[in-house]
Amino acid sequence: MEDDAPVIYGLEFQIHIIDFDDENNIINKNVLLHQAGEIWHISASPADRGVLATCYNRTCCPVLDSFVALGKSAAQLLKALATPSDSKVLTCAAVWRMPKELESGTHESPDDSSSAAQTLELLCHLDNTAHSNMACVVWEPMGDGKKIISLADNHILLWDLQESSSQAVLASSASLEGKGQLKFTSGRWSPHHNCTQVATANDTTLRGWDTRSMSQIYCIENAHGQLVRDLDFNPNKQYYLASCGDDCKVKFWDTRNVTEPVKTLEEHSHWVWNVRYNHSHDQLVLTGSSDSRVILSNMVSISSEPFGHLVDDDDISDQEDHRSEEKSKEPLQDNVIATYEEHEDSVYAVDWSSADPWLFASLSYDGRLVINRVPRALKYHILL
Amino acid sequence: MAAAAAAGPSPGSGPGDSPEGPEGEAPERRRKAHGMLKLYYGLSEGEAAGRPAGPDPLDPTDLNGAHFDPEVYLDKLRRECPLAQLMDSETDMVRQIRALDSDMQTLVYENYNKFISATDTIRKMKNDFRKMEDEMDRLATNMAVITDFSARISATLQDRHERITKLAGVHALLRKLQFLFELPSRLTKCVELGAYGQAVRYQGRAQAVLQQYQHLPSFRAIQDDCQVITARLAQQLRQRFREGGSGAPEQAECVELLLALGEPAEELCEEFLAHARGRLEEELRSLEAELGPSPPAPDVLEFTDHGGSGFVGGLCQVAAAYQELFAAQGPAGAERLAAFARELGSRYFALVERRLAQERAAFLGCLTDVRQALAAPRVAGKEGPGLAELLANVASSILSHIKASLAAVHLFTAKEVSFSNKPYFRGEFCSQGVREGLIVGFIRSMCHTAQSFCDSPGEKGGATPPALLLLLSRLCLDYETATISYILTLTDEQFLVQDQFPVTPVSTLCAEARETARRLLTHYVKVQGLVISQMLRKSVETRDWLSTLEPRNVRAVMKRVVEDTTAIDVQVGLLYEEGVRKAQSSDSSKRTFSVYSSSRQQGRYAPSYTPSAPMDTNLLSNIQKLFSERIDVFSPVEFNKVSVLTGIIKISLKTLLECVRLRTFGRFGLQQVQVDCHFLQLYLWRFVADEELVHLLLDEVVASAALRCPDPVPMEPSVVEVICERG
């Protein structure tokens, strides 16, 4: 595997593209400058590996420069200038394209790439004046990279990217009404149901939305005791959803029955910031927490393979068939596979590699990125 | 006599050894006769034998002997005696003969009179008899006459007697007929008077006859009438039966009568049960009403008493009556009764169980009291002054409750109760029922209830007042240390557990209680930590840190945090001991963030985009962290004040840290954080076990804030100190 892209993380104003060469165990890094501001959220287009979307902070002083550089319209520039004392932090979102040579994946020597920081090419802004404070941007997982959803304060905005992503048109939107300041913290696009469902989190509540009508389809009140930090859809089971939050718990939900979680994990000792299903083996669940730990759990009982890996029909001999039957009788239990304690500070992001299902990376506050593999024994246990 | 003597054998031979047989017998018999005569005349044989003591009684020379032989005697005299003696003997003899003769004469004279009078008497008797014979003859004739007359009279009356007998028969028949004819009216009357029993008896008597003669029109008419009346009677009975107002015995009577009237038993059986069901259900309803939602439920003993007398008594009556009435129904009937009793019984037991469940809820009741007690002083503004007293109250009320239950249950094993000697009550009841079911069950349920406070409302965060958690935790801990073993010992003493059933050991229960106490305390820490966290979080999130003015004083929220922490400290101090803390440096409060800010900041925050620089800063901070221990934020706590407070402060500061990292700070914003942290540092160190921990976390907060600041110019430590001291 040559390009373990895109394991990307944001440090101030930079985007690093890390290539991990599995065979030689070599890590390469490419730095891209993100001049628009500090990045709070990042997501790569599923269709075009050179395209990514970010949510970034714009504070007043540094932003002026980037405005000019990015060729913002004169009116907005004036507005920003006219109110210098209005030093609110604005979080915006934009779609960017990486330079071509990086996208191709043929990496130069590490020294070269690090010395020459390249700049991202802006494709379009996902802003309009009405909505700011973008919390999160999510691409349609299976589509052609034309649809993107952004969460801004209490609004869900569905954008259509047109003319090879250079123009974003607000297709539809919905907003959350209620007392108090409602603010989305996180969202995920379900890969099931023909990509018509999106789940969002605000405060302690999880909500599901239908993107066709932009209406709420389910709501899990008090999903967590405190703020919900993240959620993820099971890639193989269409009604299953994992969420995590400040109550140190990871909960698994069946969206058809929202009164009770299917399963609750209480392994972390502080806020859980991230939860991710493995893209192909949904019993593997990765969580990262501000207790500086990354925990890999084996949730066999609620996975799509509760009885172990079922061998496909066309490539089994009788013996194998036999063996898989035997294996199905073994009791399989949910357990924690491993706890990774390499990080010294809070872990804010974890994700699986999109190329190798046995590889994952985690990123902590101190800027340390750790790449880990699923233990070999477990891998063979799942595969065989 | 002489002949006899002559014919007899030799005088020397005894009578016993005579071989002659029958000849030998003869003199023997004769002698016997002699003896008898002698007896008669007063000469006892002994006398006869005694007198001639010397000589042989058979001596033929003995003058008075029975075998006297004059020839031998004379011969002897002549041969032996001299003449003078012979003369003497002769004169003596003569004199004796004369004396004897005179004696004989007097005897004859004397007895002659007697003979004469006897002859006279016999003659007189002969005459009398003759007269009597005549009269007897007369009597015989008279009797014959009477017999004759009697026969004649009988013959004359024969005919009439027969007629009278016949007439008497007719009379009886007529009376029966009259009864029959009167039957309808009588029945009517009986029915009117309500004497159903009488009516049924009449009917029963008449029925067979009517049945037999129903081919006769008149009887037929009567029967019809009777049937009509009987039907009415049956209907009335049924009516009465259905009305059901009357008690069980009357109903039973009704049913009995109806059965006697030949109503179908099956149907009656059904109806009877239906009525009984109605009555019993009434009882159940009243019991249920007693149970009811209204809280002042009656005493449990009263309730069971009521149930026992009302429902169980009723059920027994019904069952007894049923068995008596429908015994003929056989096993099917019994089956039906059993099903009936089972159903109602199960409902009754369900009610009783519900009632008992209410009893079990006593602990919850206690808790509610505590809750109210906790809420009350808070309203009054005096927070938790009586926490220790409350604890004592709860503990004592629970203990007294347990004791009361034990006493109540103890009645079952009292000597005077009849069933207390059954093996069940001696063995299994004591160990399984009381010890396991009641006491162990209670302790378990207490733990469970307490634990449930950690689980369910925890989602909403603090639906349970934290003080209650603290109180319960202490309560469980007390149970672990002393109360459980005390209660169990008490139980074992009162109920001498005799059998070998495995019982839950004290240690297990203690472990459970300890676990509960630990969970409660941990939850308490979480809840309190959350309260302070929320405060800090709101304060960080809602503020615009970019446009803050230069800090002049400590933010109010920090003061509030310190106040709250102090309040918690007081609250926990009421129930838990101080605990151990690490050795403190004497000048803990003097530390400021100057060291940190100056040493680290340069490496870290100097704006540099050279690739090597971030590496170095990372390295620096990582090395620093390598030497500090990892902080487990939501770690379990120990049972002392310091540990609890440490837990709460850890949670709060970690929250502050995470919130700060999500914000962007202006220069003055950073300085404000600096001031706030120093303030917290000044006041919080005293609460925790290891003050290094507070330093570490607060350092981290300031460092993070500096990282999040585009223009990090820290405040002079001296200024910070001044501001904090002023605040």
Side-chain angles (χ1 to χ4, degrees):
Chain A
M1 173 217 104
E2 69 277 32
D3 187 8
D4 180 34
V7 180
I8 302 166
Y9 71 98
L11 191 71
E12 280 186 53
F13 307 99
Q14 291 183 355
I15 290 176
H16 290 210
I17 301 173
I18 314 287
D19 286 340
F20 177 64
D21 187 340
D22 201 15
E23 283 158 16
N24 305 316
N25 234 358
I26 296 171
I27 293 177
N28 286 323
K29 174 175 79 172
N30 287 309
V31 179
L32 294 172
L33 283 186
H34 185 276
Q35 288 165 327
E38 58 175 358
I39 299 164
W40 284 89
H41 190 266
I42 188 164
S43 57
S45 162
D48 187 345
R49 65 157 60 136
V51 175
L52 57 95
T54 58
C55 294
Y56 56 91
N57 259 0
R58 218 169 43 168
T59 46
C60 70
C61 309
V63 167
L64 279 180
D65 296 7
S66 60
F67 259 64
V68 177
L70 295 168
K72 254 302 207 183
S73 69
Q76 267 187 317
L77 180 65
L78 279 175
K79 192 183 165 201
L81 281 172
T83 56
S85 61
D86 176 27
S87 55
K88 264 193 176 168
V89 182
L90 287 179
T91 314
C92 313
V95 181
W96 312 85
R97 177 177 289 284
M98 291 186 233
K100 284 271 186 265
E101 59 268 31
L102 286 177
E103 186 191 321
S104 68
T106 55
H107 43 266
E108 302 97 74
S109 69
D111 310 327
D112 291 349
S113 64
S114 59
S115 60
Q118 289 163 300
T119 313
L120 287 167
E121 177 197 345
L122 178 76
L123 290 176
C124 61
H125 282 280
L126 298 178
D127 299 323
N128 59 23
T129 45
H131 308 296
S132 60
N133 286 332
M134 297 290 182
C136 161
V137 186
V138 270
W139 295 84
E140 186 183 38
M142 300 299 177
D144 49 4
K146 291 277 173 57
K147 280 186 179 170
I148 194 166
I149 273 193
S150 65
L151 302 175
D153 276 339
N154 59 339
H155 301 284
I156 299 184
L157 311 171
L158 174 63
W159 305 86
D160 248 341
L161 299 181
Q162 293 172 352
E163 296 171 27
S164 62
S165 304
S166 64
Q167 198 180 356
V169 177
L170 185 60
S172 57
S173 72
S175 59
L176 205 56
E177 302 297 337
K179 63 176 181 182
Q181 266 199 322
L182 295 172
K183 203 171 167 185
F184 285 116
T185 52
S186 173
R188 288 299 273 186
W189 201 316
S190 164
H192 307 289
H193 309 291
N194 210 11
C195 298
T196 55
Q197 286 190 7
V198 172
T200 62
N202 65 301
D203 199 21
T204 61
T205 310
L206 287 174
R207 285 166 208 277
W209 304 85
D210 190 325
T211 54
R212 293 165 297 189
S213 60
M214 282 314 241
S215 58
Q216 186 176 308
I217 46 179
Y218 55 85
C219 175
I220 309 175
E221 301 264 12
N222 285 319
H224 285 266
Q226 299 171 48
L227 191 71
V228 180
R229 290 274 166 193
D230 195 20
L231 66 157
D232 196 15
F233 280 96
N234 187 317
N236 298 333
K237 291 182 86 174
Q238 56 182 344
Y239 296 110
Y240 276 67
L241 177 66
S243 67
C244 60
D246 285 3
D247 57 358
C248 317
K249 289 174 187 164
V250 179
K251 293 188 180 181
F252 297 88
W253 302 90
D254 185 333
T255 57
R256 293 163 297 186
N257 176 18
V258 297
T259 51
E260 282 284 308
V262 180
K263 191 105 190 165
T264 303
L265 281 183
E266 285 181 79
E267 301 294 340
H268 285 291
S269 69
H270 202 246
W271 305 351
V272 187
W273 285 73
N274 249 199
V275 59
R276 284 291 177 268
Y277 275 110
N278 188 300
H279 300 306
S280 39
H281 303 285
D282 58 26
Q283 61 266 53
L284 300 178
V285 176
L286 202 57
T287 51
S289 151
S290 43
D291 64 359
S292 327
R293 292 191 183 96
V294 174
I295 293 181
L296 177 62
S297 312
N298 193 5
M299 305 302 294
V300 181
S301 67
I302 52 170
S303 74
S304 59
E305 300 173 353
F307 303 111
H309 181 68
L310 298 176
V311 185
D312 288 340
D313 286 341
D314 41 335
D315 59 12
I316 47 160
S317 67
D318 284 357
Q319 283 178 336
E320 274 172 333
D321 195 14
H322 213 64
R323 201 175 45 185
S324 73
E325 265 175 32
E326 274 171 23
K327 199 197 302 251
S328 69
K329 286 165 195 158
E330 286 173 22
L332 289 159
Q333 284 175 336
D334 299 341
N335 57 352
V336 171
I337 300 161
T339 303
Y340 301 95
E341 307 202 343
E342 284 91 347
H343 294 285
E344 299 291 347
D345 209 326
S346 308
V347 178
Y348 291 127
V350 290
D351 211 339
W352 292 93
S353 159
S354 51
D356 181 352
W358 311 109
L359 211 60
F360 59 90
S362 54
L363 176 68
S364 63
Y365 177 75
D366 50 13
R368 182 181 291 184
L369 177 88
V370 175
I371 299 177
N372 268 306
R373 279 197 193 88
V374 174
R376 207 170 283 269
L378 179 75
K379 174 175 168 178
Y380 291 141
H381 183 80
I382 292 174
L383 281 181
L384 298 179
Chain B
M1 234 187 219
S10 62
S13 69
D17 51 353
S18 62
E20 286 84 5
E23 279 100 326
E25 294 271 338
E28 174 105 51
R29 212 180 295 150
R30 209 176 301 140
R31 210 172 300 141
K32 225 180 217 172
H34 266 284
M36 285 168 85
L37 273 175
K38 272 182 196 157
L39 266 175
Y40 184 73
Y41 291 108
L43 294 167
S44 70
E45 211 157 340
E47 219 175 345
R51 194 174 26 123
D56 190 347
L58 298 178
D59 188 4
T61 62
D62 185 3
L63 206 61
N64 291 324
H67 301 276
F68 178 68
D69 190 342
E71 290 302 318
V72 178
Y73 182 68
L74 280 180
D75 209 28
K76 191 184 167 195
L77 278 180
R78 257 177 288 165
R79 240 181 296 136
E80 290 174 2
C81 296
L83 187 65
Q85 202 175 352
L86 270 179
M87 289 305 289
D88 283 349
S89 298
E90 201 239 333
T91 50
D92 193 28
M93 197 79 77
V94 170
R95 205 190 56 216
Q96 277 187 15
I97 290 168
R98 273 190 201 135
L100 278 174
D101 274 344
S102 69
D103 280 354
M104 186 107 70
Q105 231 163 1
T106 22
L107 275 174
V108 169
Y109 278 122
E110 270 177 16
N111 288 325
Y112 186 72
N113 281 340
K114 283 181 189 171
F115 277 123
I116 287 172
S117 71
T119 318
D120 284 351
T121 308
I122 289 170
R123 199 176 296 135
K124 228 167 94 189
M125 270 170 71
K126 229 182 235 169
N127 283 344
D128 284 350
F129 271 120
R130 199 167 296 137
K131 221 161 75 187
M132 221 155 77
E133 218 164 81
D134 290 348
E135 284 190 5
M136 282 307 280
D137 283 346
R138 261 196 9 238
L139 183 64
T141 44
N142 279 350
M143 283 304 283
V145 172
I146 287 169
T147 312
D148 191 30
F149 270 117
S150 166
R152 267 177 36 216
I153 287 168
S154 289
T156 326
L157 289 183
Q158 181 71 37
D159 180 35
R160 219 169 271 185
H161 178 74
E162 267 169 23
R163 269 167 49 205
I164 284 173
T165 315
K166 218 158 136 193
L167 279 176
V170 170
H171 179 68
L173 193 63
L174 280 176
R175 272 179 62 178
K176 277 187 190 165
L177 276 177
Q178 189 185 9
F179 169 74
L180 279 183
F181 284 119
E182 277 175 6
L183 186 61
S185 65
R186 256 190 227 214
L187 282 177
T188 320
K189 204 164 191 179
C190 281
V191 169
E192 272 166 12
L193 287 176
Y196 300 110
Q198 186 73 22
V200 170
R201 269 198 298 286
Y202 286 152
Q203 164 72 13
R205 268 165 63 187
Q207 186 127 33
V209 181
L210 289 174
Q211 197 71 31
Q212 197 179 344
Y213 294 106
Q214 63 177 335
H215 54 278
L216 300 175
S218 54
F219 283 108
R220 184 59 166 277
I222 292 171
Q223 193 186 15
D224 289 348
D225 277 1
C226 281
Q227 267 168 359
V228 169
I229 293 167
T230 311
R232 217 171 64 219
L233 173 64
Q235 204 168 355
Q236 279 195 14
L237 278 174
R238 237 165 232 264
Q239 181 75 22
R240 215 173 104 187
F241 176 50
R242 278 198 195 111
E243 271 163 14
S246 44
E250 284 173 51
Q251 284 216 328
E253 191 193 326
C254 280
V255 173
E256 199 180 348
L257 294 178
L258 281 170
L259 274 177
L261 283 179
E263 295 286 318
E266 191 83 358
E267 194 184 309
L268 277 176
C269 177
E270 289 286 347
E271 255 181 65
F272 180 73
L273 284 186
H275 279 284
R277 178 186 299 271
R279 265 201 319 278
L280 293 175
E281 270 175 358
E282 190 65 32
E283 290 280 352
L284 281 178
R285 260 195 296 284
S286 80
L287 282 178
E288 202 164 2
E290 261 179 58
L291 254 183
S294 50
D299 185 49
V300 67
L301 290 177
E302 207 173 292
F303 177 84
T304 42
D305 196 37
H306 189 158
S309 63
F311 175 80
V312 179
L315 189 61
C316 287
Q317 265 182 8
V318 168
Y322 182 92
Q323 275 174 346
E324 201 177 298
L325 292 173
F326 302 103
Q329 287 280 304
E335 188 71 21
R336 199 176 299 162
L337 176 68
F340 169 80
R342 211 174 295 131
E343 190 214 321
L344 284 173
S346 65
R347 280 176 53 188
Y348 172 67
F349 286 125
L351 276 179
V352 173
E353 264 170 30
R354 259 176 62 193
R355 179 65 187 86
L356 292 180
Q358 282 186 3
E359 200 66 9
R360 204 175 305 155
F363 175 60
L364 286 178
C366 266
L367 286 184
T368 318
D369 288 351
V370 177
R371 223 176 235 250
Q372 279 162 358
L374 278 177
R378 192 159 305 172
V379 175
K382 304 175 286 177
E383 186 151 352
L387 217 51
E389 291 102 275
L390 269 178
L391 176 70
N393 282 349
V394 175
S396 66
S397 82
I398 291 178
L399 204 58
S400 66
H401 184 77
I402 290 179
K403 280 183 180 165
S405 314
L406 273 181
V409 176
H410 199 250
L411 290 178
F412 281 106
T413 58
K415 287 276 183 290
E416 59 268 21
V417 179
S418 58
F419 50 72
S420 69
N421 275 326
K422 288 189 177 175
Y424 169 77
F425 279 96
R426 300 212 68 80
E428 197 186 343
F429 177 74
C430 287
S431 75
Q432 296 301 301
V434 176
R435 192 183 188 278
E436 294 296 297
L438 189 71
I439 300 302
V440 176
F442 173 78
I443 293 169
R444 287 232 163 99
S445 98
M446 198 180 87
C447 288
H448 191 75
T449 314
Q451 287 208 3
S452 69
F453 282 112
C454 302
D455 299 334
S456 46
E459 295 294 310
K460 286 175 184 166
T464 328
L468 180 64
L469 291 174
L470 194 65
L471 192 97
L472 283 177
S473 152
R474 183 68 216 192
L475 185 69
C476 288
L477 195 65
D478 285 348
Y479 264 72
E480 187 251 329
T481 49
T483 318
I484 287 181
S485 60
Y486 169 67
I487 293 174
L488 283 183
T489 318
L490 192 75
T491 315
D492 288 345
E493 275 169 11
Q494 285 197 12
F495 299 87
L496 295 169
V497 178
Q498 291 168 338
D499 58 351
Q500 299 303 312
F501 285 108
V503 292
T504 318
V506 178
S507 57
T508 317
L509 281 179
C510 284
E512 275 173 36
R514 191 179 180 83
E515 171 66 14
T516 309
R518 199 189 57 70
R519 281 193 60 185
L520 281 167
L521 198 61
T522 309
H523 190 63
Y524 173 76
V525 168
K526 273 192 187 178
V527 168
Q528 293 288 37
L530 187 66
V531 170
I532 296 182
S533 295
Q534 292 294 7
M535 216 147 62
L536 287 169
R537 179 189 209 140
K538 284 277 169 329
S539 81
V540 174
E541 278 178 0
T542 51
R543 199 177 170 97
D544 184 0
W545 291 99
L546 277 173
S547 53
T548 345
L549 298 175
E550 191 172 0
R552 296 266 170 239
N553 42 27
V554 182
R555 285 191 300 145
V557 67
M558 293 304 163
K559 291 178 182 164
R560 180 78 200 283
V561 166
V562 171
E563 275 168 22
D564 280 9
T565 316
T566 315
I568 293 170
D569 183 63
V570 171
Q571 195 179 47
V572 178
L574 286 173
L575 294 178
Y576 278 99
E577 295 77 29
E578 180 72 24
V580 203
R581 57 178 87 220
K582 280 194 182 173
Q584 299 158 10
S585 58
S586 52
D587 60 341
S588 317
S589 58
K590 291 296 170 200
R591 207 184 108 116
T592 60
F593 295 97
S594 54
V595 188
Y596 183 86
S597 311
S598 54
S599 71
R600 270 209 184 164
Q601 189 220 326
Q602 270 128 28
R604 240 177 152 180
Y605 312 122
S608 88
Y609 288 104
T610 52
S612 59
M615 288 294 286
D616 290 345
T617 56
N618 284 345
L619 204 65
L620 266 177
S621 75
N622 285 343
I623 287 171
Q624 163 122 9
K625 277 176 186 167
L626 276 180
F627 290 104
S628 60
E629 279 176 39
R630 187 189 288 272
I631 299 165
D632 249 345
V633 181
F634 291 110
S635 58
V637 290
E638 287 160 28
F639 296 109
N640 59 54
K641 193 178 85 175
V642 170
S643 175
V644 169
L645 264 291
T646 308
I648 293 171
I649 289 172
K650 263 195 309 196
I651 293 173
S652 315
L653 293 186
K654 180 76 178 174
T655 308
L656 180 64
L657 173 64
E658 293 295 339
C659 290
V660 162
R661 284 178 180 178
L662 291 174
R663 304 288 299 176
T664 308
F665 294 86
R667 179 198 296 176
F668 297 131
L670 169 65
Q671 290 180 357
Q672 181 70 60
V673 171
Q674 221 181 336
V675 169
D676 289 349
C677 286
H678 185 69
F679 179 78
L680 289 180
Q681 164 74 43
L682 277 180
Y683 289 97
L684 290 185
W685 66 268
R686 69 185 74 172
F687 297 121
V688 299
D690 180 9
E691 62 189 80
E692 267 305 306
L693 195 92
V694 178
H695 297 163
L696 213 71
L697 280 166
L698 287 173
D699 278 356
E700 200 66 38
V701 172
V702 178
S704 299
L707 252 181
R708 296 294 311 147
C709 178
D711 180 22
V713 179
M715 199 177 235
E716 277 300 309
S718 57
V719 184
V720 172
E721 271 173 46
V722 168
I723 293 176
C724 285
E725 272 157 29
R726 202 178 53 201

